Amino acid sequence: MSQLAVSELQQITKEVRRVEQAANKLLERMLEALPDSYDKSPTSTTYILLQAVAKGLVGQEGEFNQ
């Protein structure tokens, strides 16, 4: 693999990590905003749905303003 390809792969990997971290932070805030009566465990439908929404929102914008 050429040095340029390695450099590009490293940049993509960094970007993916940054977007993933932003989506996780948004998910945390969304879960905190829910009433306690909601199941917030990682296997719950609510969690999975909010996780998908957070990833979609951050993926569209590329960042989440904290």
Side-chain angles (χ1 to χ4, degrees):
M1 199 181 280
S2 72
Q3 183 64 26
L4 180 60
V6 170
S7 177
E8 288 178 6
L9 183 59
Q10 289 172 337
Q11 282 300 110
I12 291 169
T13 302
K14 286 179 186 176
E15 180 67 13
V16 167
R17 284 188 191 131
R18 188 185 67 74
V19 169
E20 186 175 275
Q21 288 173 347
N24 287 339
K25 187 144 196 112
L26 176 57
L27 174 61
E28 286 177 26
R29 289 191 178 176
M30 293 166 83
L31 289 170
E32 288 172 3
L34 285 176
D36 291 336
S37 61
Y38 282 84
D39 182 4
K40 301 176 187 180
S41 66
T43 57
S44 72
T45 304
T46 302
Y47 184 98
I48 295 168
L49 178 62
L50 289 179
Q51 185 178 44
V53 169
K55 286 181 180 181
L57 289 173
V58 172
Q60 287 178 356
E61 298 298 320
E63 63 183 54
F64 170 59
N65 296 325
Q66 303 164 2

